[in-house]
Amino acid sequence: MQTLTFNTTTKEVKLLDGPRGSSKVIESFYNVSTVKCSELGFYEVMQKTSEDTNSAIPVMRVPISNTNMIIEK
């Protein structure tokens, strides 16, 4: 089971290869506006395209079925 950590203060997402603490970082993204739950069973990491716009694009999708999601403030 992998772990997706979303820090809402720093706008950073990290994907870990297991539980927190003893896992290594597989992917990390900065300037993340939100993480959505898609209707197809995925967490979608949405990254801002630029600082001055509200548009965001999906940069990663991970299956909900084998991913724990942690939201940090």
Side-chain angles (χ1 to χ4, degrees):
M1 181 83 53
Q2 57 192 10
T3 303
L4 181 73
T5 304
F6 178 34
N7 187 312
T8 59
T9 304
T10 62
K11 302 296 184 186
E12 181 180 354
V13 166
K14 291 182 182 176
L15 180 64
L16 309 173
D17 65 355
R20 288 191 294 177
S22 62
S23 302
K24 64 179 180 176
V25 177
I26 301 171
E27 292 282 345
S28 54
F29 295 94
Y30 302 94
N31 204 21
V32 173
S33 59
T34 191
V35 176
K36 294 171 140 182
C37 292
S38 76
E39 296 174 6
L40 302 173
F42 292 95
Y43 291 123
E44 283 187 325
V45 177
M46 305 297 289
Q47 191 174 48
K48 289 183 184 181
T49 54
S50 66
E51 286 295 325
D52 57 342
T53 64
N54 290 332
S55 63
I57 58 170
V59 292
M60 181 174 67
R61 290 185 180 116
V62 292
I64 291 173
S65 61
N66 72 329
T67 307
N68 293 319
M69 183 172 163
I70 307 294
I71 301 171
E72 299 174 337
K73 291 184 179 184

